[in-house]
Amino acid sequence: MHHFHGSIEVVCGPMFSGKTEELIRRVKRAQIAKQRVQIFKPAIDVRYDVEDVVSHSSQAIKSEPVENAVEILLKLKDSTRVVAIDEVQFFDDAIITVVSKLAARGYRIICAGLDLDSRAIPFGPMPTLLAMADEVMKIHAICTVCGAPATRSQRLVASKELVVIGESDAYEARCRGHFQADDAEEQGHLPLDAEIRPFTTQFSN
Ligand code: ADP
Ligand code: MG
């Protein structure tokens, strides 16, 4: 008797960190292993292409845009073994149920998404997905100011919307030191960093 164990992999990091490249790399290797892969992305993400998942380095792979998480279940084909989901942070919490169901049914799930929004607050379903994952990869971009590893996505244009679909004209990768939280206080959310005073060591002896 064969046992097929499902698994959940999450690739996270800021914009330009190579999440989509990593997703494409994993998908291609699965295809080399002759496993059927289906790639989904939220229909909201049509920055480069309606049908393709495209990286900032112009790598591309065919994908199926979906309006919501449940549509992934509806579009799943019998022969599929691997399910890849890019920009997974844009889905609502139903994605958590969908992903765990698929893993329980034996699918390998590869998710890529932003861990933090432009206020440096955990993005939508990402904290739960990261906690549930069998494997997590957190990758860095390069800070556009100083060249250090970047963990944050700096929004360059003012907006009240949480989701501003844009590219390098709207966002830049930044390290902690060069990141300025996006009008977070105005929106009633304090970025987690803002509550922490700069750390100074004090010796009391
Ligand atoms: P993500 O999906 O995480 O936004 P992509 O996989 O689409 O990232 O793109 C990663 C690529 O973006 C890199 O390989 C590099 O060619 C390019 N790039 C542009 N700006 C930066 C930056 N500031 N830091 C790192 N890579 C960058
Ligand atoms: Mg991407």
Side-chain angles (χ1 to χ4, degrees):
M1 196 176 138
H2 292 283
H3 292 278
F4 296 100
H5 296 287
S7 61
I8 304 171
E9 297 158 40
V10 180
V11 179
C12 72
M15 289 186 65
F16 307 101
S17 61
K19 301 181 297 298
T20 299
E21 281 177 355
E22 180 61 24
L23 181 111
I24 292 173
R25 191 183 78 92
R26 292 183 189 198
V27 165
K28 285 192 171 157
R29 290 170 62 91
Q31 287 167 338
I32 291 169
K34 301 201 164 44
Q35 293 160 355
R36 285 279 166 80
V37 186
Q38 272 182 279
I39 305 134
F40 297 98
K41 69 171 184 179
I44 186 178
D45 182 42
V46 290
R47 285 171 301 178
Y48 294 114
D49 197 296
V50 177
E51 292 280 316
D52 284 6
V53 162
V54 184
S55 79
H56 293 108
S57 50
S58 302
Q59 291 184 42
I61 200 158
K62 272 270 164 289
S63 76
E64 302 173 60
V66 287
E67 294 290 340
N68 55 53
V70 175
E71 212 182 311
I72 294 175
L73 294 178
L74 301 176
K75 287 198 161 159
L76 217 55
K77 296 177 187 138
D78 283 347
S79 55
T80 297
R81 291 287 165 268
V82 180
V83 175
I85 309 168
D86 199 15
E87 303 288 358
V88 71
Q89 79 280 351
F90 285 144
F91 287 99
D92 66 19
D93 281 354
I95 193 70
I96 294 160
T97 319
V98 167
V99 163
S100 13
K101 267 193 187 162
L102 292 179
R105 281 192 216 156
Y107 291 91
R108 175 185 175 198
I109 324 290
I110 308 165
C111 298
L114 291 165
D115 44 2
L116 301 174
D117 65 24
S118 59
R119 306 164 301 175
I121 291 172
F123 211 131
M126 291 303 284
T128 309
L129 289 175
L130 285 163
M132 289 188 341
D134 299 86
E135 194 206 298
V136 166
M137 183 188 222
K138 185 152 178 159
I139 44 181
H140 298 143
I142 303 297
C143 176
T144 51
V145 179
C146 71
T151 53
R152 309 281 148 116
S153 309
Q154 177 73 55
R155 182 143 74 189
L156 304 173
V157 294
S159 170
K160 290 255 176 251
E161 299 297 314
L162 175 59
V163 177
V164 177
I165 304 286
E167 266 323 299
S168 44
D169 52 335
Y171 295 93
E172 270 179 16
R174 296 283 178 88
C175 68
R176 256 176 198 279
H178 290 116
F179 170 75
Q180 273 193 311
D182 193 43
D183 62 353
E185 287 174 63
E186 238 176 86
Q187 298 179 29
H189 300 277
L190 267 184
L192 300 180
D193 294 354
E195 295 171 48
I196 303 164
R197 300 263 161 266
F199 185 77
T200 50
T201 315
Q202 290 184 345
F203 297 99
S204 53
N205 56 326

